[in-house]
Amino acid sequence: MIKPEMIPKIESIFGFHLYDWQKDYLLGKIHHRTGGRHNGNTFAYCVKLLLYDGDPISVKDLWKYMDELHGSRYARWFAGYCMEINTKLVAAGFKTRVEVK
């Protein structure tokens, strides 16, 4: 579960401010993301996926949780991108759903 006090820490870790809709999405105030590409949809989705309560996710299965499909290479890209986010969150002290073995 993502709490309001976590938002500034997330912004600090990644070095940018989140859009208001991203904050609302992460806090569960809205359940949809904004349309279009290159506007932070996948970033918000990955952070929520990693920090929300749920079953553990193995690294090898991370691609199965991709948000959308944007061509044949997207699954591999998504898994790598999500792991980059995961690594930064864990280094900052967050507990995520990813099981690293």
Side-chain angles (χ1 to χ4, degrees):
M1 186 72 153
I2 298 173
K3 298 176 182 168
E5 58 270 15
M6 296 166 70
I7 298 295
K9 188 171 182 181
I10 291 168
E11 290 176 326
S12 177
I13 292 165
F14 294 98
F16 56 84
H17 293 288
L18 298 175
Y19 295 118
D20 288 340
W21 74 262
Q22 288 174 309
K23 295 174 191 177
D24 289 344
Y25 175 74
L26 293 174
L27 296 171
K29 293 179 181 179
I30 60 171
H31 302 288
H32 62 280
R33 297 174 294 151
T34 187
R37 303 223 19 217
H38 304 288
N39 57 12
N41 278 316
T42 300
F43 177 80
Y45 175 81
C46 288
V47 171
K48 189 171 185 175
L49 172 68
L50 296 168
L51 294 180
Y52 257 65
D53 298 333
D55 293 332
I57 303 169
S58 71
V59 174
K60 69 177 182 64
D61 289 337
L62 198 53
W63 68 272
K64 295 178 183 178
Y65 292 84
M66 65 182 166
D67 56 342
E68 299 176 16
L69 185 57
H70 298 288
S72 60
R73 296 183 182 142
Y74 187 75
R76 180 181 298 245
W77 176 87
F78 174 84
Y81 181 64
C82 206
M83 276 307 297
E84 287 178 29
I85 294 170
N86 186 75
T87 299
K88 290 180 180 183
L89 290 171
V90 170
F94 285 99
K95 180 168 175 22
T96 69
R97 294 174 57 193
V98 174
E99 290 183 319
V100 180
K101 294 180 182 180

